[in-house]
Structures are given as C-alpha cells and as structure tokens.
Amino acid sequence: MMFPHAANEPILSLTDEQSWQLLENTQHGRLVVVVNGAADIFPVNYATQEGTLVFRTAPGSKLAQVAVNESVVFETDGILSDEAWSVVVRGTAERLETSTDVAKADELDLRPWVPTLKDTFVRIVPNEISGRHFAFGPHPEREI
C-alpha cells in the first residue's frame, strides 16, 4: 500500500507533502477552467517545477480561457489493483512570457502527447492542495 491507513479507514486524507509526492511522480492530469459560468476540462501532460505545475499548449481554447480567468483547478489521479488516489490543486495559471521563464520551463523536457506545435508554457501556482488515498476492499455488510 502506498500510504498506510488506520484500521477500517479506507479513505485517507493526504498531507501536502504526500500530495506533492504524487504530483511529482505523475505526468498527466486535467485542467479545469471556468469562463462566464461555463466549465471546461482539458487533459494535459505536465511537470512540477519549484512548487508549481507546468504544461505546454498552443493557441486555442485552453490558452484563451486561462487568459480570461486565471483561477484554475487541476486534478490528477492514479488507479491500481488495490488502491487509488486523487490530488486536486486550486491555483492561478500564468502564461510564461520572459525568456528566462521559458528557458527554465524548457529544461523540463516536457513534450506534447501528439505531434503538434505547443510552444506556449503555462504555470499553475497552487493556492490550495488536497489529496485523498483510497484502499479498495469488499463492500461492507449493512448492520441491521
């Protein structure tokens, strides 16, 4: 088991450190943006860098929506045969503009999943992180 649970406690709230451990060892997640009351969700691959999350994108919906509303939610998870976990990051997205920031992000060797040009880096600066770990098991019997 990745994280120990108390007896008969299948759901464990993760510490910030445990959540970051999972973020640092995962490469995919979902970016949630809300503009004019409408939510959109985008799958992205990402990397961590100095307490932030970085992803690449191209001009289009993601970039336009982040420009309109920089408040975002990011979620990543993992599912194994006997356990699962989920980490949610609430934060602020910012397009990397300076040559120093872009060069630093380029060091992450973050490549697009599909062969398309994605020359814009976006950084998510977390405001809040929450994570949960789930231990799978049989459905408990109801008490009568």
Side-chain angles (χ1 to χ4, degrees):
M1 179 91 34
M2 190 178 303
F3 298 106
H5 290 239
N8 298 319
E9 294 294 332
I11 301 172
L12 173 68
S13 291
L14 300 175
T15 65
D16 286 356
E17 182 179 312
Q18 290 169 322
S19 294
W20 271 107
Q21 178 184 346
L22 293 168
L23 285 166
E24 290 170 349
N25 290 294
T26 306
Q27 299 174 350
H28 64 280
R30 285 154 297 284
L31 174 72
V32 180
V33 295
V34 178
V35 175
N36 294 327
D40 267 325
I41 188 164
F42 302 95
V44 297
N45 61 319
Y46 75 98
T48 59
Q49 187 176 58
E50 298 174 357
T52 68
L53 308 176
V54 178
F55 66 91
R56 293 179 86 129
T57 191
S61 298
K62 274 188 297 252
L63 199 53
Q65 291 181 15
V66 166
V68 171
N69 182 2
E70 61 189 17
S71 294
V72 299
V73 176
F74 181 86
E75 191 268 347
T76 187
D77 53 34
I79 302 170
L80 303 171
S81 62
D82 62 345
E83 61 186 316
W85 56 267
S86 174
V87 175
V88 175
V89 176
R90 297 179 189 283
T92 304
E94 56 188 32
R95 180 179 175 163
L96 300 185
E97 302 279 355
T98 69
S99 58
T100 302
D101 285 344
V102 171
K104 196 170 184 178
D106 210 25
E107 292 174 3
L108 295 169
D109 198 32
L110 186 58
R111 301 287 171 231
W113 283 336
V114 294
T116 56
L117 284 176
K118 295 192 176 186
D119 290 335
T120 303
F121 288 101
V122 176
R123 172 180 291 132
I124 299 172
V125 178
N127 299 327
E128 178 186 332
I129 298 171
S130 62
R132 296 189 303 166
H133 185 264
F134 310 97
F136 295 163
H139 188 271
E141 296 295 322
R142 285 199 171 104
E143 294 182 27
I144 301 179

